[in-house]
Amino acid sequence: RYPYFIEKYYSISINKFIVAILSNISGIFPFSLYELTIYLIVISIVSFIIYTIYIIISNPNKLKVFIKNSLLNILSIIESYNLKYNKSISSIDKTKEGLANLYEFLIENANEARKLVKSSNGIMKANTDYKGIINRAYLGYESILDFLPNLSGNYSNAKYVMSSKLMCYTGITGIYFPFTGEANVNIAIPDIYIPSTTLHEMAHQRGYASEDEANFIAYLASINHPDIDFKYSGYILALNHTANALYSVDYDTYVTLSKNISEDVLDDLKNNRDFWDKYEGKIDDISNEINNTYLKANGVSEGVKSYGKMVDLLLTYYSLYPYKN
């Protein structure tokens, strides 16, 4: 109802101060407090089930009261997640020509960056291991503070999730945990996406809740990063989103331009697809629905569909800074 007031006095002042404190406190711990919280939730659920069975067996008369109280608790949680918000972002029309020019630009830069990155068995390899990626990520944000000064602040590094392989079954590459100010990263995914994913979660940490904005900020921080593995990861992030948009509005142009993607880039993209094919299934579908509900509850009315709106921001940016790297 009062977006200007909230943005000025909460989002870029009070919230940044609170998250910076939480982030630095949680940064004391070398492990992810978010991951520990998930384990505790699982243990709590199991304990709840065991306790429920105990109540039913030991005292059937208390069962009705127990069920009533439990249902009221569950319904109150559901109601809190069903809050309706209105949210919109400024964008420009996605013309076929504009999309094609953007796609062509990203292909060219992805091809050039791919020539400079390391490889292992023909697949892109980051300059360092995941710990090195996390430690270097802040350099991307330092490089764009002149453009986006609201990204400044003292925050802890992102955290890697120890059970990342298990996390892959949910289809989640990273998650921001607001209660501890932690940006958590799935380190089991292919190297091509770890840099941009780390920067994406760090964007959430800096107060940008919507997925499209976090993706766009991750792109800018990636391509302006001093290290080539970050640059390449950023171009691939934007390339995939733009390819999907162009595919849906001008398939013939998409096919024609896609022929210009280098074999090395295609191999990296195929490797990423093959990786995720191993984890597709029911858990991923359920996780997607949970993520969709979470996004809507946090003011992103489009839910997971908002991921596609990154293209609007890319087109807007390059209309102001014509195809500047």
Side-chain angles (χ1 to χ4, degrees), residues 2 17 24 32 50 100 131-132 239 254 269 271 287 292 299:
Y2 308 104
F17 177 73
N24 281 281
S32 169
I50 294 173
K131 291 182 180 178
L239 182 71
Y254 161 79
L269 295 174
N271 177 70
S287 174
N292 187 42

Side-chain angles (χ1 to χ4, degrees), residues 11 91 93-94 99 111 130 139 147 162 171 182 208 227 283:
S11 298
S91 63
D93 291 335
K94 291 186 287 185
L99 276 174
N111 288 346
Y130 61 87
L139 295 172
F147 177 65
M162 289 185 288
E182 290 176 311
Y208 290 83
D227 297 332
I283 295 180

